[in-house]
Amino acid sequence: MRAEHSHLSAARWRKSTHSDGGDSNCVEVADGCAGVVPVRDSKAPDHPPLFIPNNAWASFIEHLTR
C-alpha cells in the first residue's frame, strides 16, 4: 500500500526489532501514524515508504514471533 508521505519529513525512523540486525537487511519503521505503519528499506531512505495497515502489520509480526 502506497500513500502520500510528505507528512513523514519529520518522522523518527527506527530499525525494526524484527530486523536481523545485520547491515544489509534493515527494515525501518516510523511510529505515530494513525492506522498505518510506514516501512522502508534503510539502504534506500529516499525511496517512498510502504504504508502497511495496522492490522496487517500486527498479523505479520505475530507470524514472525510464532
Side-chain angles (χ1 to χ4, degrees):
M1 170 185 244
R2 291 193 185 267
E4 178 59 42
H5 65 279
S6 60
H7 65 282
L8 291 176
S9 61
R12 299 189 116 211
W13 292 91
R14 63 177 175 81
K15 187 182 295 188
S16 171
T17 56
H18 298 283
S19 198
D20 76 357
D23 291 334
S24 61
N25 294 319
C26 299
V27 172
E28 293 181 325
V29 297
D31 298 317
C33 293
V36 296
V37 177
V39 179
R40 71 180 185 185
D41 181 346
S42 65
K43 297 180 304 301
D46 293 332
H47 291 186
L50 296 176
F51 290 84
I52 311 298
N54 284 348
N55 60 342
W57 184 255
S59 294
F60 174 67
I61 296 303
E62 181 182 334
H63 179 74
L64 289 177
T65 58
R66 286 186 194 168

